[in-house]
């Protein structure tokens, strides 16, 4: 497996952290998206194999030529060969290792089977990991890989321990691993005498460390009882002792109050890694959860984290961030695409140019927007005068949402509920008592809900059986056939597609039961849904018009030695034919069968140089994607769609079509489905239809295309409308960029806090 130079540096750094670090066995690999964190990690898995691995000898031999290129790793290479490198390096475990006679005899850790490396990743990149492990590792390395996913996954921990690498998802970890206590509750643990006995150890292990310490006996007995209850609920992932746990896209655990974070902390492992291109997204607080997972003492204790990191930053940002940089430096490696290595950039990616396209509203749009903005400002001024801005934060966020949506398309502002009554949940809803239905309806209806996942006003809001509100798209990101934990902080209810309800589903059941007697009607919520005719208005949006113009200019085949007019007429003819075919299909789904190519082939005197450049179009609202589809269907552009409500299979297909079929030139995509390591280098253009609060989310989206493997310059068009709230969001985004940069030491200026403060809000409403 050939590694690029900066990847070899990452590998040798990781080996050093695993074998010779004073702080914790592992760390955070925080290289920019696309620099090959996966590759470096796979190399680490091959080089530092679990002592229980069946094939460590062959693998190390295979890897030797690579190892010779590295500094200071001879020793680790040798110790991996003899397969005895366990007890010396392990502070927390005493290995009771039996020699391997055949594949069936397994070593044990504290009565648990000793397993290999567990890789935890988002569902959407599970397949990508499996493919990388298959493609990048030679047969000779004999790396056995298990994808631990789906309802038929094994229930036997011994089975898990047989593999060198087990791949699974955050949701499954969340389901199977008993959660560690919340930060507020663990202070008591930390103060217990055991901690002073072993200050370098972390809470997960200390309970087992001194079993004969009489002074703590009663406390321990108490704990053991609680512990054994947890144990009995534990499922295979929690029943083995891992050699190494790798959290890919580790920002998934950044909120330390979530079930998923607390479950990940509870995984038993000797070596621990966080991989993330954006470890800090919103606030320095994000780091705490990684420190806790890594057992990075003393910062793994929330109180110490606050007093030693957070407090200094709020007192004096310049000094505080310097301190944070030092703390991070010992356990984190971060390089950006611009990082220099001996004066050369570590990767030479083709240039990326970001064009900020400031669009003018049409007269109609401006009228509509100005009216909306005046109303919102007046309302905000009332809150500001009363001093109730904070109490009305959710309402204010909703007003901002409407303004942002008005910049995209007026149709979005009307609000939108999925008008499909989901068959899956309607039966469940029918079984619920009417009081419960009304309760859930009120959760949705009060307009006072914030999506528990993206923290914005929900788009196409749905309510879970446990009463939590999400965007339809956000909650469906979490739900696949077997992954069913409510993502709301501290909830943990089991969910399935049968236990989330749209307004339409609830109202249909309430009507069923009561003939509308006492039906709680909320103003504005029973507006008729948009008809197709209304959807046809989508080109009345200046943004959509601009986007389509850009796409059309890209999709036109570039021809050589052919006069322009003949190509043009051919193009139009194809369009006409396709439109006709479409109308015959009774207004159904438009299928373009690569018509352009066929026609061009007939004119063999024309030379087709390149069919088209490919583009990704992002919006944060699925509804905006719907609106975009209308003019796309009318054009000759073949596209695919990718959003958070689609199944994993459907997403894979969309990505594959876009990356491999030359005639599919456009991918319209939700920003929320973009942050997860997807490789879309087939695209050389990116269009951002709207702005997200957090600029790193946008950067991640752009990096789907601008990453290693990209050979062409990438052009990014950010569409914003002049003299609107978008101007002010752009300015706020710059503030957030500064904060992220100063935490990483990429910028010397002190940072800013990132929540929307009262000042931010005043600025946004121009009050
Ligand atoms: Zn959401
Ligand atoms: Zn819940």
């Amino acid at each position: 497996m050939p590694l690029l130079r900066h990847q070899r540096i990452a590998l040798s750094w990781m080996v050093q952290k695993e074998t010779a670090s004073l702080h914790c066995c592992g760390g955070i690999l925080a290289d920019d998206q696309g620099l090959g964190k996966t590759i470096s990690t796979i190399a680490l898995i091959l080089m530092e194999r679990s002592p229980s691995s069946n094939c460590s000898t062959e693998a190390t031999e295979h890897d030797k030529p690579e190892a010779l290129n590295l500094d200071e790793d001879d020793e680790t290479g040798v110790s991996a060969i003899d397969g005895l490198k366990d007890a010396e390096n392990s502070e927390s475990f005493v290995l009771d290792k039996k020699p391997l006679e055949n594949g069936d005899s397994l070593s044990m850790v504290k009565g648990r089977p000793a397993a290999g490396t567990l890789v935890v990743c988002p569902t959407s990149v599970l397949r990508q990991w499996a493919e990388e492990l298959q493609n990048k590792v030679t047969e000779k390395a004999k790396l056995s890989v298990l994808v631990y996913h789906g309802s038929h996954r094994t229930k036997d921990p011994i089975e898990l321990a047989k593999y060198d690498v087990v791949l699974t998802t955050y949701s499954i970890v969340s389901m199977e691993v008993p959660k560690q206590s919340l930060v507020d509750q663990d202070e008591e643990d930390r103060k217990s005498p055991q901690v002073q006995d072993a200050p370098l150890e972390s809470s997960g292990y200390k309970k087992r460390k001194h079993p004969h310490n009489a002074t703590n006996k009663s406390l321990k007995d108490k704990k053991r009882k609680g512990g054994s209850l947890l144990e009995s609920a534990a499922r295979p992932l929690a029943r083995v002792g891992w050699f190494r746990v790798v959290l890919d896209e580790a920002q998934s655990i950044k909120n330390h109050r979530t079930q998923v974070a607390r479950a990940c902390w509870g995984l038993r492992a000797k070596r621990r890694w966080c991989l993330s291109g954006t470890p800090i997204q919103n606030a320095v607080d994000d780091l705490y959860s990684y420190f806790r997972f890594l057992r990075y003492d003393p910062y793994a204790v929330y109180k110490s984290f606050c007093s030693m990191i957070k407090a200094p930053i709020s007192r004096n940002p310049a000094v505080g961030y310097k301190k944070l940089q030092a703390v991070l430096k010992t356990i984190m490696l971060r390089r950006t695409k611009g990082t220099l290595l001996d004066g050369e950039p570590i990767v030479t990616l083709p240039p990326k140019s970001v064009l900020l396209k400031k669009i003018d509203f049409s007269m109609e749009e401006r009228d509509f927007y100005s009216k909306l903005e005046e109303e919102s400002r007046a309302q905000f001024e009332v809150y500001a005068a009363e001093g109730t801005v904070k109490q009305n934060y959710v309402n204010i966020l909703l007003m901002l949402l409407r303004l942002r949506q008005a910049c995209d398309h007026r149709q979005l502002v009307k609000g939108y509920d999925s008008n499909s009554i989901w068959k899956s949940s309607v039966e469940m809803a029918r079984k619920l008592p009417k009081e419960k239905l009304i309760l859930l309806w009120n959760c949705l209806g009060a307009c006072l809900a914030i999506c528990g996942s993206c923290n914005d006003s929900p788009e196409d809001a749905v309510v879970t059986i446990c009463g939590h509100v999400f965007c339809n798209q956000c909650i469906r990101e979490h739900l696949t056939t077997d992954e069913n934990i409510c993502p709301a902080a501290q909830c943990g209810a089991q969910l399935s597609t049968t236990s989330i309800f749209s307004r339409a589903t609830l109202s249909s059941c309430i009507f069923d039961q009561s003939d509308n007697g006492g039906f709680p009607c909320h103003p504005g919520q029973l507006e008729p849904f948009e008809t197709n005719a209304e959807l046809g208005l989508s080109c009345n949006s200046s943004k959509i018009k601009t986007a389509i113009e850009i796409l059309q200019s890209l999709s036109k085949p570039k021809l050589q030695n052919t006069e322009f007019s003949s190509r043009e007429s051919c193009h139009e003819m194809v369009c006409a034919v396709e439109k006709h075919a479409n109308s015959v299909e009774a207004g159904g789904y438009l299928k373009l069968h690569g018509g352009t190519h066929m026609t061009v082939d007939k004119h063999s005197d024309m030379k087709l140089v390149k069919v088209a450049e490919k583009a990704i179009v992002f919006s944060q609202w699925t509804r905006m994607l719907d609106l975009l589809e209308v003019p796309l269907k009318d054009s000759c552009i073949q596209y695919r769609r990718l959003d958070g409500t689609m199944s994993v299979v459907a997403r894979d297909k969309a990505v594959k079509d876009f990356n491999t079929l030359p005639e599919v030139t456009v991918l319209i995509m939700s920003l929320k489905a973009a942050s997860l390591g997807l490789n879309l280098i087939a695209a050389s253009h990116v269009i951002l239809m709207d702005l997200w609060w957090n600029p790193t989310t946008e950067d991640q989206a752009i990096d789907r295309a601008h990453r290693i493997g990209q050979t062409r310059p990438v052009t990014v068009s950010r569409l914003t409308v002049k003299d609107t709230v978008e101007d002010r969001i752009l300015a706020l985004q710059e503030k957030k960029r500064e904060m992220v940069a100063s935490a990483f030491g990429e910028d010397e200026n002190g940072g800013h806090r990132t929540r929307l403060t009262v000042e931010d809000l005043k600025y946004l409403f121009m009050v």
Side-chain angles (χ1 to χ4, degrees), residues 596-668:
T596 311
H597 305 281
M598 285 158 47
T599 318
V600 170
D601 286 346
K602 281 179 210 154
H603 300 61
S604 54
D605 53 328
M606 286 198 263
K607 285 178 193 149
L608 192 64
V609 173
K610 196 165 70 173
V611 173
E613 294 179 72
K614 297 201 180 195
I616 313 171
V617 185
F618 286 107
S619 173
Q620 56 199 290
W621 298 296
T622 54
R623 196 74 187 107
M624 185 64 174
L625 300 181
D626 297 344
L627 291 164
L628 258 167
E629 285 193 70
V630 178
L632 276 172
K633 279 177 182 164
D634 286 342
S635 72
C636 276
I637 300 167
Q638 284 206 56
Y639 68 94
R640 293 292 184 272
R641 172 173 173 147
L642 185 64
D643 71 54
T645 67
M646 292 161 60
S647 71
V648 176
V649 176
R651 291 183 200 204
D652 282 350
K653 172 133 185 10
V655 169
K656 199 175 169 208
D657 284 358
F658 178 71
N659 276 333
T660 57
L661 301 179
E663 66 273 21
V664 176
T665 57
V666 172
L667 185 67
I668 61 172

Side-chain angles (χ1 to χ4, degrees), residues 139-242:
E139 285 283 307
K140 224 175 129 201
K142 288 191 185 157
L143 197 73
S144 51
V145 178
L146 174 72
V147 178
Y148 184 68
H149 186 249
S151 47
H152 298 299
R153 62 189 190 269
T154 180
K155 293 179 176 62
D156 182 6
I158 307 272
E159 182 67 22
L160 280 189
K162 285 181 185 164
Y163 291 86
D164 294 312
V165 181
V166 174
L167 299 176
T168 194
T169 63
Y170 284 101
S171 314
I172 290 185
V173 171
S174 194
M175 284 168 69
E176 293 203 355
V177 183
K179 320 287 175 289
Q180 290 208 342
S181 56
L182 273 172
V183 288
D184 313 278
Q185 291 150 16
D186 75 351
E187 300 308 315
E188 186 197 329
D189 283 18
R190 291 282 175 173
K191 278 182 208 140
S192 75
Q194 295 157 319
V195 180
Q196 276 123 49
D197 285 349
L200 284 176
E201 287 193 5
S202 45
S203 56
Y205 303 119
K206 65 189 178 232
K207 293 166 201 167
R208 293 168 189 85
K209 177 75 180 187
H210 306 291
H212 303 299
N213 186 338
T215 54
N216 292 313
K217 197 167 186 307
S218 64
L219 178 63
K220 242 185 295 225
D221 282 351
K222 211 173 102 196
K223 279 188 179 172
R224 199 166 292 137
K225 269 176 205 153
S228 64
L229 268 179
L230 288 177
E231 288 294 302
S232 64
R235 293 177 54 198
L237 286 180
R239 289 174 171 271
V240 298
W242 297 100

Side-chain angles (χ1 to χ4, degrees), residues 367-658:
D367 284 352
F368 180 85
Y369 179 85
S370 302
K371 196 162 159 273
L372 194 68
E373 193 175 60
E374 267 162 42
E375 287 168 6
S376 314
R377 188 181 306 128
Q379 182 62 60
F380 183 82
E381 275 167 344
V382 171
Y383 294 142
E386 292 172 350
T388 57
V389 169
K390 278 189 179 152
Q391 291 90 311
N392 289 291
Y393 187 73
V394 180
N395 268 330
I396 292 168
L397 216 52
L398 184 67
M399 297 193 305
L400 284 171
L401 176 80
R402 295 300 180 225
L403 290 174
R404 285 151 62 208
Q405 290 179 324
C407 294
D408 272 18
H409 196 297
R410 277 172 293 166
Q411 201 72 36
L412 295 177
V413 181
K414 284 197 171 175
Y416 169 73
D417 293 315
S418 166
N419 56 359
S420 54
I421 295 168
W422 296 326
K423 282 202 184 90
S424 56
S425 63
V426 78
E427 277 178 26
M428 168 77 108
R430 286 211 174 99
K431 287 180 200 147
L432 296 173
K434 192 181 158 204
E435 298 75 54
K436 175 83 176 177
L437 288 174
I438 290 175
L439 198 75
L440 293 176
W441 172 269
N442 283 333
C443 288
L444 273 179
C447 279
L448 286 174
I450 255 181
C451 169
S453 178
C454 67
N455 295 320
D456 201 352
S457 290
E459 183 200 19
D460 195 3
V462 297
V463 62
T464 58
I465 189 90
C466 45
H468 292 112
V469 174
F470 299 95
C471 313
N472 184 25
Q473 182 179 199
C474 287
I475 190 66
R476 281 177 190 266
E477 284 268 356
H478 288 267
L479 296 180
T480 59
T481 50
D482 58 352
E483 302 181 16
N484 306 316
I485 301 285
C486 174
Q490 299 180 49
C491 176
Q494 290 274 340
L495 297 178
S496 71
T497 48
T498 63
S499 50
I500 58 178
F501 307 102
S502 66
R503 277 198 185 102
T505 304
L506 289 176
S507 66
S508 82
C509 291
I510 294 170
F511 275 123
D512 268 11
Q513 289 184 6
S514 67
D515 291 328
N516 201 23
F519 179 58
C521 209
H522 292 280
Q525 278 160 9
L526 291 175
E527 278 176 16
F529 301 110
E530 291 85 357
T531 63
N532 283 337
E534 278 175 287
L535 281 175
L537 297 171
S538 57
C539 265
N540 286 355
S541 151
S542 299
K543 269 196 184 177
I544 290 182
K545 213 179 282 172
T546 308
I548 295 294
E549 279 165 17
I550 296 173
L551 293 176
Q552 270 169 344
S553 75
L554 296 176
S555 75
K556 287 188 179 166
K558 310 250 183 333
L559 297 167
Q560 229 175 21
N561 306 326
T562 311
E563 57 187 33
F564 190 72
S565 61
S566 95
R567 193 255 308 181
E568 199 65 3
S569 61
C570 150
H571 183 75
E572 277 159 17
M573 185 191 78
V574 174
C575 278
V577 168
E578 295 291 349
K579 270 184 186 154
H580 177 69
N582 187 38
S583 62
V584 169
E585 271 181 79
Y589 173 58
L590 175 61
K591 281 179 192 156
L592 296 174
H593 302 285
T596 311
H597 305 281
M598 285 158 47
T599 318
V600 170
D601 286 346
K602 281 179 210 154
H603 300 61
S604 54
D605 53 328
M606 286 198 263
K607 285 178 193 149
L608 192 64
V609 173
K610 196 165 70 173
V611 173
E613 294 179 72
K614 297 201 180 195
I616 313 171
V617 185
F618 286 107
S619 173
Q620 56 199 290
W621 298 296
T622 54
R623 196 74 187 107
M624 185 64 174
L625 300 181
D626 297 344
L627 291 164
L628 258 167
E629 285 193 70
V630 178
L632 276 172
K633 279 177 182 164
D634 286 342
S635 72
C636 276
I637 300 167
Q638 284 206 56
Y639 68 94
R640 293 292 184 272
R641 172 173 173 147
L642 185 64
D643 71 54
T645 67
M646 292 161 60
S647 71
V648 176
V649 176
R651 291 183 200 204
D652 282 350
K653 172 133 185 10
V655 169
K656 199 175 169 208
D657 284 358
F658 178 71

